[in-house]
Amino acid sequence: MEYLIIIISAVFVNNIVLAQFLGICPFLGVSNKVSTATGMSAAVVFVITLSTLVTYLIDHYILASLDITFMRTIVFILVIAALVQMVEIILKKISPSLYQALGIFLPLITTNCTVLGVAISVVTKEFTFGGEAHLLNLGETVVYAASSALGFGVAMVLFAGIREQLDLVSVPKAFKGTPIALVTAGILAMAFMGFSGLV
Amino acid sequence: MPKESTLRSMVLCLSLVCLVCSALLGGVYVMTKGKIDQEQIKKTNNAIALVTPEFDNAPSSEKMTVEIDGKEVAVYPARKDGQAVGYAVESFTSKGFSGTINIMVGFDMDGNIVGTSVISHAETPGLGAKMTEPAFYSQFVGKNPASFRLSVAKDGGDVDAITASTITSRAYCDAVDRAWRVFQKIMDNNSK
Amino acid sequence: MSKLRIIANGIIKDNPTFILVLGMCPTIGTTTSAINGMGMGLATTFVLILSNVFISLLAKMIPDKVRIPAYIVIIASFVTVLELLMQAYVPDLYAALGLFIPLIVVNCIILGRAEAFANKNTPLDSACDGIGIGLGFTLALTVIGMVRELLGNLSFFGMKLAEGGDGMLAFVLAPGGFIVLGYLMVVFRKLTQKKA
């Protein structure tokens, strides 16, 4: 039951892009087509879940026990960068077709701030999922990471769908490109605000 | 160092960069550690001064802990001319909208709330974060929880909730109520 | 190119927010008030100047293939230094900006400038570029923060303008961030087009 609350909360109520403002660069950058948006989202789900799991373990068993948590930022970003490289190499070897689909997005993910953002928030922030505020345990961490990434995917694909339509209408010249995309994103965020209070 | 990317130069270069950077970080950490702790103490002291009657001792050096709801809560006694004039209770609530809220609540010896001051929180700016504005927290000043019901009007209490932030308002009441129970515990112990 | 020209370029022609559209997350995430926006801008400027200078100094020594990881380590170190300094000297601002301070590491402006400018230019020019781009970013964030604070909270740099009013809450929350940024971008484009 609690896992269900985490999923709803992370995907809809506290959507990582539309309510927490993370990953806006890829949200605006690679959302021109639904197909690329889907590919990017799949790659993000994969990387976020894996990297959050690894960084959580590192934080608990290495950084916290040595009392050097101030090194978090630097250690996490290195782990993420290395992990993305490894995933790329492994994927190339074992599943060329998957690599074909996700490959071009992988290098972009290192600087996608959702990855570092989720990794840092699960070890520093307290979450309130219906009950008492607490730091997440391992199981909750994995579920939270995966559903945050899923939330990224949902926002991304919805937004790409809207933008494909937007290409067909005439927009005032000054609004062309990013400005109109931002205003659209604002309206989408407003729609997602309707979910607040669900959890 | 050569610019070509041989394995040796790559490993050497990366390890060197990492080494220098870690040394730099360690140095800055040691340098700022004292100041960060000091800043924390200053914050606590400021909060104590805001919520207690005038005192002439150093409450933070007389810190004691009281157990409540399975957790330890810090209490700072305020004295004037050696006489206790009030207590500042560093209360908390885990019912906030996002994460724990820490609130310093001060009482005089009759149990009237002298003031409340938020120490740390992660509530939404513009919504729950409004609890740090006088419009909300001033309603607790001078009230005695013995007669003042510490819950929001919606739940039958005497507290006016922040517009659109009932969860935060409830959490605030929860923290103040916890402080009140701690205060009662202290008074019980004193009279024994 | 003169030093002044580099700085001016960073503020207007290559404005990181309105023209290059980089570093969008902190732009929207931290501009709930003018002060927060300005604080975030200055924090980023601090890291940007230092990383630009050091990367331009070291660029010749770092083998090409491990360039990016080395840059990331350098940037992450300066960000951590900044984190510690902010905790020590401006703890309230640090608490308000929260997660977005460590996330300066993945702000594409910083790595972007390292790749596009610092590793090809002299340390002095790179410092100027850092100052220019940093100021452009700070300026943009402050203006966005100002507009959102004014509309959403009826206050100006923390000073309440109208008593009792609540403002339009949506502007402080997520949707307002996107919409204000969109409209300001249009205004900025119009203004700079006329100048040219």
Side-chain angles (χ1 to χ4, degrees):
Chain A
M1 186 55 206
E2 200 200 352
Y3 288 141
L4 190 69
I5 294 178
I6 295 179
I7 294 170
I8 294 175
S9 163
V11 175
F12 296 109
V13 184
N14 292 309
N15 186 286
I16 195 153
V17 182
L18 298 169
Q20 297 187 53
F21 322 104
L22 294 178
I24 295 176
C25 290
F27 180 66
L28 293 173
V30 274
S31 58
N32 285 324
K33 277 208 204 100
V34 174
S35 55
T36 46
T38 319
M40 182 70 178
S41 308
V44 165
V45 172
F46 191 58
V47 171
I48 284 191
T49 314
L50 196 64
S51 66
T52 307
L53 176 66
V54 175
T55 52
Y56 179 90
L57 292 174
I58 288 180
D59 192 76
H60 271 238
Y61 294 106
I62 301 178
L63 297 185
S65 57
L66 290 177
D67 201 22
I68 47 166
T69 44
F70 69 95
M71 296 284 273
R72 228 174 232 154
T73 314
I74 193 164
V75 171
F76 280 17
I77 188 70
L78 282 178
V79 169
I80 291 168
L83 210 68
V84 170
Q85 282 281 300
M86 243 165 60
V87 168
E88 204 179 338
I89 295 168
I90 294 172
L91 219 55
K92 214 173 185 172
K93 280 260 155 62
I94 60 166
S95 170
S97 61
L98 200 61
Y99 178 77
Q100 281 273 306
L102 303 184
I104 47 164
F105 302 107
L106 284 173
L108 289 173
I109 287 179
T110 313
T111 53
N112 180 337
C113 55
T114 47
V115 185
L116 187 62
V118 171
I120 293 179
S121 30
V122 292
V123 293
T124 55
K125 213 175 123 198
E126 286 177 322
F127 290 85
T128 318
F129 293 116
E132 307 263 290
H134 60 288
L135 287 168
L136 300 183
N137 61 30
L138 186 61
E140 289 169 329
T141 297
V142 173
V143 174
Y144 176 78
S147 38
S148 285
L150 201 65
F152 175 82
V154 169
M156 194 78 179
V157 172
L158 275 178
F159 190 53
I162 299 174
R163 281 188 86 173
E164 276 187 0
Q165 301 296 313
L166 213 56
D167 277 347
L168 305 174
V169 291
S170 67
V171 171
K173 196 170 148 258
F175 273 94
K176 275 222 162 69
T178 324
I180 192 70
L182 280 166
V183 175
T184 314
I187 295 168
L188 195 59
M190 226 179 267
F192 268 70
M193 266 176 76
F195 290 118
S196 69
L198 249 188
V199 176
Chain B
M1 227 181 290
K3 171 115 181 148
E4 305 89 70
S5 313
T6 59
L7 185 65
R8 205 169 134 261
S9 77
M10 285 197 290
V11 172
L12 196 69
C13 170
L14 268 190
S15 349
L16 213 64
V17 168
C18 286
L19 204 70
V20 172
C21 286
S22 321
L24 173 81
L25 281 189
V28 175
Y29 177 72
V30 172
M31 261 164 49
T32 50
K33 180 122 187 21
K35 178 79 181 145
I36 292 173
D37 294 343
Q38 214 180 318
E39 207 57 43
Q40 203 58 45
I41 295 169
K42 209 170 103 196
K43 208 168 175 186
T44 313
N45 283 339
N46 284 346
I48 295 171
L50 273 176
V51 302
T52 47
E54 210 188 318
F55 56 85
D56 57 9
N57 66 331
S60 54
S61 62
E62 293 183 42
K63 176 177 167 181
M64 37 189 202
T65 52
V66 173
E67 211 188 282
I68 190 106
D69 301 334
K71 284 204 177 140
E72 297 230 306
V73 167
V75 178
Y76 306 92
R79 291 176 210 285
K80 191 162 191 185
D81 305 326
Q83 280 288 315
V85 290
Y87 288 97
V89 181
E90 199 176 335
S91 186
F92 69 93
T93 175
S94 49
K95 298 205 167 95
F97 188 69
S98 61
T100 302
I101 304 171
N102 289 300
I103 302 174
M104 189 72 82
V105 185
F107 299 93
D108 65 15
M109 296 313 280
D110 300 324
N112 296 317
I113 297 174
V114 180
T116 59
S117 170
V118 177
I119 300 170
S120 66
H121 75 93
E123 301 300 286
T124 324
L127 286 170
K130 283 210 170 118
M131 69 185 168
T132 59
E133 291 176 11
F136 178 73
Y137 69 70
S138 62
Q139 62 178 313
F140 294 94
V141 176
K143 301 285 165 37
N144 191 322
S147 56
F148 182 78
R149 281 166 300 170
L150 279 172
S151 54
V152 298
K154 227 188 213 170
D155 304 337
D158 293 324
V159 176
D160 290 324
I162 305 162
T163 320
S165 304
T166 313
I167 295 179
T168 307
S169 311
R170 276 188 188 133
Y172 207 97
C173 294
D174 178 58
V176 176
D177 180 61
R178 181 162 294 116
W180 166 243
R181 282 183 285 136
V182 170
F183 176 75
Q184 283 173 314
K185 250 190 177 174
I186 298 168
M187 294 315 262
D188 280 354
N189 286 346
N190 285 355
S191 59
K192 259 177 215 161
Chain C
M1 210 163 24
S2 77
K3 311 277 177 263
L4 216 61
R5 192 58 196 268
I6 298 178
I7 296 181
N9 257 351
I11 299 176
I12 299 169
K13 213 180 101 228
D14 280 340
N15 187 293
T17 307
F18 295 130
I19 304 296
L20 302 180
V21 201
L22 290 174
M24 285 293 111
C25 303
T27 306
I28 295 175
T30 62
T31 53
T32 50
S33 73
I35 299 278
N36 286 356
M38 200 154 97
M40 185 66 207
L42 292 177
T44 312
T45 309
F46 170 87
V47 176
L48 186 59
I49 295 173
L50 283 176
S51 72
N52 256 4
V53 170
F54 276 82
I55 285 168
S56 88
L57 278 173
L58 297 172
K60 289 204 176 61
M61 285 185 261
I62 299 173
D64 216 36
K65 269 191 188 154
V66 290
R67 192 174 80 235
I68 302 289
Y71 293 173
I72 290 179
V73 174
I74 294 171
I75 295 169
S77 312
F78 286 126
V79 170
T80 312
V81 168
L82 174 79
E83 265 184 87
L84 292 168
L85 290 176
M86 284 183 76
Q87 273 178 50
Y89 296 99
V90 280
D92 290 335
L93 186 65
Y94 180 78
L97 298 178
L99 184 60
F100 286 99
I101 295 294
L103 286 184
I104 295 177
V105 180
V106 282
N107 187 324
C108 13
I109 295 177
I110 306 209
L111 199 61
R113 288 328 279 181
E115 274 285 90
F117 197 97
N119 69 0
K120 306 185 190 68
N121 287 285
T122 62
L124 198 61
D125 280 352
S126 304
C128 291
D129 182 66
I131 295 171
I133 296 277
L135 283 182
F137 189 60
T138 309
L139 207 69
L141 259 62
T142 313
V143 172
I144 298 168
M146 226 160 68
V147 173
R148 288 180 66 184
E149 195 185 335
L150 202 64
L151 292 173
N153 211 13
L154 299 182
S155 59
F156 182 73
F157 281 94
M159 284 178 297
K160 202 89 175 136
L161 293 182
E163 273 315 310
D166 263 346
M168 289 172 277
L169 198 56
F171 280 98
V172 179
L173 300 178
F178 288 104
I179 293 173
V180 168
L181 179 58
Y183 276 90
L184 283 178
M185 207 176 265
V186 173
V187 173
F188 193 87
R189 277 188 184 178
K190 278 281 173 204
L191 287 178
T192 48
Q193 265 169 13
K194 258 181 208 149
K195 255 184 214 156

